[in-house]
Amino acid sequence: MKVAIVGIGAVARYLIDELLSGKHDIVAISRSRKPWLDDLNVEQHQVHYTADMIAPLIQGCDAVICTISSSSPELVGVHESLLKACKSTPTCKRFIPSVWVGNFEDIRDQPYYGADRIQRIYDMLVGQMSVEWTLLSVGWLIDYVIPASQRYLPNEKFWVQNVNDKTFKLYGNGTQTISCTAARDAASAVVRLLETDAEWEPFTYISGEQITWLGLWRIIKEYDPEYRLAPKSLTESIKQLVDSTDGMATVEAVFDVMGHSEALCNPQERVDKHRHIYFEGIQFRSVKELIEDAKANPGRII
Ligand SMILES: NC(=O)c1ccc[n+]([C@@H]2O[C@H](COP(=O)([O-])OP(=O)(O)OC[C@H]3O[C@@H](n4cnc5c(N)ncnc54)[C@H](OP(=O)(O)O)[C@@H]3O)[C@@H](O)[C@H]2O)c1
């Protein structure tokens, strides 16, 4: 199989690892050159995202996976170009957009400042029949619980752990459940999805573990007793959203509101159903299993 990956960042690196280990061919498409792709012998192209520019690059591909930053102002336009390019080729008839979120199927208004763009991508895809597609519901990619040196995902200000002052942001009483998936396990599931002949559904549910924030806090504290709780109320998060003047504070507040809500929890019956249809044999690690993997393999990207 030959797969085009568009927007080469942290998530793309996991996908590339997993595609290469499955002996698949890759075409990497991005705006800027990535020298590390040369070391892996991966074909790469730098583009402006017009359908005319992309179409020749995906000739002979079976699928396109987009992983451009979801904060990109051109997110919808890039997806329009990619879909148009797929339609123009005879073989590239599967498309995974850059929607790596929680339960968007049921919670259509989150992430606040972003949901409308996901909805526009969804509307664009559902309004056509020639390219098969699915939106990925992965919950939180949970790799932030392991050291930065063992993951491609960079430290994020909006994640609940502050690794500098060792605080854990607890939303309300911490009883909301979130779906947690290791990025590599999500990538491995995506490769499996591409390999299957089974028909895709509009939403694909992937989750390594369903856990409450309080449950996650207990694990973090167990592995590093220096961590302290930093409770954050829903009102504080809403106030931050309303008052925020810089982009990063807004992003943090948007994720806080999600953290307080049900939007990051994938329904277990849909997770189980998709494991059965698509993902038999993949080991989706729990939070503890991921941490143990990192401890057992120091110096390795997990
Ligand atoms: N559910 C979760 O917990 C979770 C966690 C992490 C990420 N994600 C999602 O996964 C996807 C990929 O995440 P990521 O962390 O790999 O993303 P990223 O590293 O922030 O961005 C990926 C690539 O997008 C390209 N890009 C950035 N701004 C762009 C723009 N304005 N127009 C076109 N391309 C642009 C950049 O490549 P070039 O500059 O070379 O073009 C960048 O390397 C996103 O949808 C993100 O929201 C979800």
Side-chain angles (χ1 to χ4, degrees):
M1 192 168 54
K2 189 170 182 184
V3 180
I5 304 188
V6 176
I8 307 298
V11 169
R13 293 193 76 155
Y14 292 100
L15 287 164
I16 288 168
D17 281 356
E18 295 309 300
L19 283 163
L20 288 177
S21 72
K23 306 267 183 277
H24 298 297
D25 295 322
I26 299 168
V27 179
I29 299 172
S30 208
R31 296 174 309 176
S32 61
R33 186 163 186 79
K34 307 287 183 268
W36 56 270
L37 285 172
D38 296 335
D39 301 335
L40 298 173
N41 281 327
V42 169
E43 174 186 337
Q44 62 172 311
H45 302 273
Q46 287 70 58
V47 295
H48 301 293
Y49 289 109
T50 62
D52 287 348
M53 202 161 183
I54 293 158
L57 305 180
I58 63 171
Q59 284 294 333
C61 287
D62 302 285
V64 171
I65 310 174
C66 184
T67 57
I68 73 161
S69 170
S70 54
S71 61
S72 156
E74 303 86 20
L75 190 75
V76 178
V78 171
H79 282 80
E80 275 167 351
S81 297
L82 294 174
L83 183 60
K84 196 171 169 195
C86 286
K87 285 181 178 173
S88 74
T89 71
T91 58
C92 200
K93 296 299 172 199
R94 279 182 154 177
F95 179 36
I96 296 182
S98 192
V99 178
W100 303 69
V101 287
N103 181 10
F104 186 74
E105 183 171 15
D106 296 328
I107 317 296
R108 293 290 172 113
D109 56 3
Q110 290 205 57
Y112 191 57
Y113 297 166
D116 54 338
R117 289 187 293 176
I118 298 175
Q119 184 66 46
R120 283 170 65 197
I121 292 169
Y122 173 85
D123 290 342
M124 172 199 313
L125 293 167
V126 87
Q128 55 83 48
M129 300 292 285
S130 55
V131 177
E132 194 176 25
W133 56 276
T134 188
L135 268 50
L136 299 172
S137 301
V138 294
W140 263 109
L141 296 180
I142 198 65
D143 301 64
Y144 306 107
V145 299
I146 63 175
S149 59
Q150 291 189 273
R151 51 179 150 89
Y152 294 133
L153 288 166
N155 286 339
E156 291 290 5
K157 190 170 178 290
F158 45 80
W159 174 239
V160 288
Q161 281 170 265
N162 180 327
V163 292
N164 298 318
D165 65 6
K166 295 211 173 175
T167 53
F168 182 101
K169 183 164 54 178
L170 189 71
Y171 297 121
N173 61 7
T175 51
Q176 281 293 359
T177 298
I178 49 162
S179 297
C180 297
T181 310
R184 188 172 300 285
D185 300 345
S188 163
V190 169
V191 174
R192 183 68 74 77
L193 208 50
L194 297 174
E195 288 170 341
T196 184
D197 291 330
E199 197 173 313
W200 289 3
E201 298 183 18
F203 295 89
T204 302
Y205 290 92
I206 300 168
S207 174
E209 182 176 10
Q210 316 271 55
I211 191 170
T212 62
W213 290 116
L214 209 50
L216 182 61
W217 153 247
R218 290 190 185 116
I219 293 174
I220 300 303
K221 181 79 175 168
E222 179 188 330
Y223 281 93
D224 188 345
E226 285 182 15
Y227 262 91
R228 295 173 295 111
L229 272 184
K232 191 157 187 183
S233 71
L234 176 58
T235 307
E236 280 177 280
S237 298
I238 292 172
K239 195 167 179 314
Q240 181 175 335
L241 187 56
V242 172
D243 294 345
S244 59
T245 46
D246 78 273
M248 197 36 81
T250 307
V251 173
E252 186 190 5
V254 165
F255 279 105
D256 280 358
V257 170
M258 280 189 103
H260 281 287
S261 82
E262 71 285 34
L264 287 163
C265 182
N266 295 339
Q268 187 63 48
E269 68 279 6
R270 294 181 214 166
V271 172
D272 292 342
K273 179 185 163 199
H274 288 164
R275 275 198 194 189
H276 176 65
I277 299 176
Y278 306 117
F279 307 132
E280 291 288 2
I282 294 182
Q283 198 216 339
F284 291 101
R285 288 165 292 179
S286 66
V287 176
K288 271 194 167 190
E289 285 168 340
L290 183 67
I291 294 173
E292 287 296 334
D293 247 5
K295 285 167 78 76
N297 296 284
R300 271 189 53 196
I301 303 286
I302 296 305

